[in-house]
Amino acid sequence: MKSDTKPAVCVVGLGYIGLPTAAVIARSGSKVLGLDVSQKVVDTINRGEIHIEEVDLDGLVQGVVARGLLSASMEVAPADVFVIAVPTPFDKEHAPDVSYVLAAARTIAPVLKNGDVVILESTSPVGTTEQLRDMIAEMRPDLKIPGLTRETPDISIAYCPERVLPGRILEELTNNDRSIGGITPRCARKALAFYKRFVRGECVTTDARSAEMTKLVENAYRDVNIAFANELSIVADRMGLDVWEVIRLANRHPRVNILSPGPGVGGHCIAVDPWFIVHGAPEDTPLIRTARGVNDHKMHHVVAKAEALVEAHPVAKVACLGLAFKANIDDFRESPARFVASRLARKFGERIAIVEPYAAELPIEFTDTGVTQIDIDEALEDCAILIVLVDHDVFRVVPLAERADKLVYDTRGIWPDQPRVVREDGATMALTP
Ligand code: SAJ
């Protein structure tokens, strides 16, 4: 890859990270080929359309496809830089599954040539970039491979985790700092030159293993801190305290910044990545493991509390507000809100209505439960009980006058002025606004 020319780039995996990344690189002027195993995804992108929802992504993809800078395919082609952004799930025992990463390595290995840079972005257990390197070495004995040759290697291999927040992906892809971990310092330098083309944030180089661990640590840090807030919410409830008030006051301390309790931790990162650390060092991770347990338990706690409330008011109609895994996005995978709502749907059937402005229709598990999808106006008119599961802005802005007579279980703390909130035991208590 020459520094004065725009490298041809191949992005492997066109999901929530791969597609925005491919589009941002294409916007910087590089020709980008996106690889995906789904013909449907490939066809959608080649029409200039997108298969995921993300702020401003539709216009960006449409533009770069129309300018011939981004195209998608199921077939690999030679490029100067390969960016791998495939899923790394875990199995039932929480053991990480890096098979998609290794499959990506097998896919690109045949077309690699002297000077190419291979970058892994998928969240990965420590040591995965070396596994990827070994896979390439096995398939391409003709290439001099970094870390395995004493001579100047033919290719560079690095790990550079994405750290973007769903809902702000395009902005954060450009503006966040990046950690770039090379298999060797030379690999890091080559990968750095690539990221500098489209990242405005600071790009910091390190070794591959440290960069892998950094990504896991970031999400485990957040998980542990959310667990603290979730544990507090249960304790405060038992003591008859308003946890939001306690947190608001504690956060006035200059060195305290407690996060927000909620119905549990969803998404595909924070609830997953900490397990990669635990799996790598099971004896040494009681805190991280416990935090996972606390956050998972919170979902069940919310179900039990919501059930008690609905049972205690046998004729009231109930609206569950939100199904997404967090505010203002249409992502329902691994969502605690969806878990709680589906449990209520199964138990109470047609007494339950769902408000989710980001869903065109209800997910499959609601079929045949008798629940209906309504909008927030209908919920405010027809439902005596409101269970807030997601802090979408459309819920947040509902004024007190429209909900003062409702019985509210607010798992997100969006309505601090609500006069009647639900206690641990399902009874209600009056809070002065
Ligand atoms: N949540 C709370 N309370 C809070 C904050 C979040 O209950 O105070 C819940 C959310 O409602 C959601 C879950 O946690 O269910 C995760 O949401 P999030 O906004 O904390 O994070 P994600 O999963 O959308 O994105 C995270 C980010 N990581 C960090 O903030 C350390 C993002 O930067 C990463 O790029 C992303 O994971 C990823 O891909 O790994």
Side-chain angles (χ1 to χ4, degrees), residues 14 18-35 40-51 56-73:
L14 293 173
L19 179 57
T21 302
V24 165
I25 298 168
R27 183 174 60 191
S28 75
S30 274
K31 267 210 152 202
V32 180
L33 175 72
L35 280 195
K40 205 169 149 205
V41 167
V42 165
D43 293 343
T44 305
I45 292 164
N46 284 335
R47 284 197 305 272
E49 294 165 13
I50 57 176
H51 62 293
D56 297 336
L57 184 62
D58 47 357
L60 176 59
V61 168
Q62 194 187 35
V64 287
V65 170
R67 286 161 61 203
L69 289 168
L70 174 65
S71 62
S73 172

Side-chain angles (χ1 to χ4, degrees), residues 171-249:
E171 194 202 316
E172 294 207 355
L173 260 180
T174 320
N175 293 323
N176 286 2
D177 293 352
R178 304 291 299 239
S179 318
I180 301 171
I183 287 281
T184 64
R186 182 177 184 275
C187 292
R189 177 167 58 82
K190 297 286 178 183
L192 173 71
F194 169 64
Y195 281 100
K196 287 239 163 180
R197 294 177 168 278
F198 61 94
V199 172
R200 269 201 294 268
E202 205 176 322
C203 297
V204 184
T205 55
T206 180
D207 61 280
R209 292 172 75 89
S210 299
E212 287 164 341
M213 187 60 170
T214 303
K215 168 69 192 188
L216 304 179
V217 162
E218 289 164 5
N219 282 350
Y221 170 85
R222 194 151 169 89
D223 198 42
V224 168
N225 281 279
I226 298 170
F228 181 75
N230 277 335
E231 186 162 295
L232 276 189
S233 72
I234 293 176
V235 173
D237 228 355
R238 196 174 290 283
M239 294 179 172
L241 294 165
D242 175 2
V243 69
W244 309 100
E245 177 71 355
V246 172
I247 292 175
R248 240 187 324 272
L249 293 173

Side-chain angles (χ1 to χ4, degrees), residues 70 74 89 120 130 146 175 214 229 258 317 341 346 395 421 423:
L70 174 65
M74 291 174 75
L120 177 60
E130 289 162 354
N175 293 323
T214 303
I258 302 170
K317 204 148 182 334
R346 243 178 290 151
F395 306 149
V421 296
R423 255 188 8 208

Side-chain angles (χ1 to χ4, degrees), residues 37-219:
V37 290
S38 157
Q39 184 70 55
K40 205 169 149 205
V41 167
V42 165
D43 293 343
T44 305
I45 292 164
N46 284 335
R47 284 197 305 272
E49 294 165 13
I50 57 176
H51 62 293
I52 53 172
E53 277 301 314
E54 178 58 37
V55 178
D56 297 336
L57 184 62
D58 47 357
L60 176 59
V61 168
Q62 194 187 35
V64 287
V65 170
R67 286 161 61 203
L69 289 168
L70 174 65
S71 62
S73 172
M74 291 174 75
E75 297 294 324
V76 72
D80 304 309
V81 179
F82 293 83
V83 177
I84 299 172
V86 294
T88 44
F90 60 49
D91 67 15
K92 282 200 180 71
E93 270 74 52
H94 300 120
D97 171 5
V98 298
S99 58
Y100 297 109
V101 173
L102 299 180
R106 281 193 293 273
T107 303
I108 63 171
V111 300
L112 289 177
K113 60 183 187 319
N114 200 343
D116 284 358
V117 180
V118 178
I119 297 161
L120 177 60
E121 286 210 2
S122 311
T123 302
S124 300
V126 174
T128 308
T129 312
E130 289 162 354
Q131 274 182 267
L132 172 122
R133 184 265 319 266
D134 293 345
M135 175 65 73
I136 293 173
E138 197 183 309
M139 292 192 64
R140 292 295 304 274
D142 57 311
L143 290 176
K144 291 198 274 300
I145 301 291
L148 302 179
T149 177
R150 281 163 187 267
E151 297 169 53
T152 305
D154 289 328
I155 60 172
S156 302
I157 303 175
Y159 180 73
C160 179
E162 58 78 20
R163 33 162 70 139
V164 293
L165 201 69
R168 293 165 47 96
I169 291 183
L170 290 182
E171 194 202 316
E172 294 207 355
L173 260 180
T174 320
N175 293 323
N176 286 2
D177 293 352
R178 304 291 299 239
S179 318
I180 301 171
I183 287 281
T184 64
R186 182 177 184 275
C187 292
R189 177 167 58 82
K190 297 286 178 183
L192 173 71
F194 169 64
Y195 281 100
K196 287 239 163 180
R197 294 177 168 278
F198 61 94
V199 172
R200 269 201 294 268
E202 205 176 322
C203 297
V204 184
T205 55
T206 180
D207 61 280
R209 292 172 75 89
S210 299
E212 287 164 341
M213 187 60 170
T214 303
K215 168 69 192 188
L216 304 179
V217 162
E218 289 164 5
N219 282 350

